[in-house]
Amino acid sequence: ALSDLRPRHVAGLIEELRRGHLSAKSVRNVHGTLHTMLELAVFEERLIANPAHMPRGKLPKVSKKKRPRFTREEVWALCTDERIPEWRRVFYALQGLGGLRLGEASGRRWRDIDSDAAPLTALTVDSQYGDEPLKTARDDFSAERLVPVHRELARVLATWRMGGFAALYGRPPRPGDWIAPDPKTGRPRTQNQATKALYRD
């Protein structure tokens, strides 16, 4: 019964899963699903506290695979090579010069740029993809950050705003427009679209 569920039961489940053939990530995914379900039970006042809330170190660690880094020359080529469509070069500049994750670059709108900030233009990063919460957001205090805009990135964005955007989408950008959306849909790029395009480029 839900009312009889205790942290030791959840800990026992995690230990049982760890002894099985599941990867650490899969074990954490199972725990995450259970934790979310029980959070709803707390909200609906069926539980006083979430028994799936576990102290640090009780869940298996996921080993992060080391991904190959881009060289300076590769980043420069992705941002400047004219064989790559301009809208994708702008997207790569947001990532390479702004330090944005793929989803963060995809979810940026023109209104996120604060050109009056000093000494550098600032870019508000408070969502990813189509206004979804940031991957790293755990509460209202971690749901937003300000990114200083490198002067070269500022130049790329200004050039794109003054000419390339209108040439591609048929009108000048409005504050609520995405900075570098997919030309076919006008929507933020998905992870699948952006990854495939990166390999082609």
Side-chain angles (χ1 to χ4, degrees):
L2 188 62
S3 59
D4 294 335
L5 191 59
R6 297 291 182 268
R8 67 176 182 274
H9 299 132
V10 178
L13 170 65
I14 297 302
E15 193 54 41
E16 185 178 335
L17 292 173
R18 291 180 78 161
R19 287 196 301 265
H21 299 291
L22 291 178
S23 68
K25 189 173 188 333
S26 294
V27 172
R28 293 181 75 98
N29 286 344
V30 170
H31 173 263
T33 301
L34 177 62
H35 188 277
T36 300
M37 292 166 60
L38 295 175
E39 276 296 298
L40 182 60
V42 172
F43 177 78
E44 293 180 349
E45 299 182 3
R46 295 170 184 267
L47 287 171
I48 295 174
N50 189 338
H53 182 75
M54 303 186 75
R56 186 182 295 272
K58 290 294 184 182
L59 291 172
K61 289 185 178 180
V62 178
S63 59
K64 293 186 177 180
K65 295 179 182 176
K66 288 190 175 181
R67 299 178 182 173
R69 305 286 183 186
F70 288 102
T71 65
R72 181 187 180 99
E73 291 72 23
E74 288 170 334
V75 173
W76 182 252
L78 286 169
C79 294
T80 63
D81 195 312
E82 293 188 359
R83 291 173 294 178
I84 299 172
E86 186 180 9
W87 68 276
R88 288 215 297 272
R89 283 184 273 142
V90 171
F91 190 85
Y92 296 138
L94 284 168
Q95 290 185 276
L97 299 174
L100 273 58
R101 293 181 174 90
L102 192 155
E104 294 171 345
S106 185
R108 298 289 44 84
R109 298 178 190 262
W110 288 105
R111 67 178 176 225
D112 295 331
I113 301 172
D114 182 2
S115 301
D116 295 328
L120 294 172
T121 297
L123 182 66
T124 299
V125 179
D126 58 1
S127 61
Q128 61 175 343
Y129 299 110
D131 292 327
E132 296 169 26
L134 287 176
K135 186 176 181 179
T136 54
R138 287 182 170 80
D139 51 44
D140 291 341
F141 300 104
S142 62
E144 175 181 312
R145 73 179 190 277
L146 281 180
V147 175
V149 176
H150 187 283
R151 296 191 197 286
E152 182 62 22
L153 176 57
R155 185 197 64 76
V156 168
L157 292 172
T159 302
W160 175 236
R161 182 179 229 158
M162 290 186 293
F165 186 98
L168 182 60
Y169 301 106
R171 60 171 176 77
R174 302 184 185 113
D177 288 335
W178 312 100
I179 293 177
D182 186 293
K184 293 178 183 175
T185 64
R187 296 284 304 157
R189 307 173 74 197
T190 65
Q191 183 175 17
N192 186 44
Q193 289 171 324
T195 302
K196 285 182 177 178
L198 174 62
Y199 287 141
R200 287 197 305 272
D201 294 337

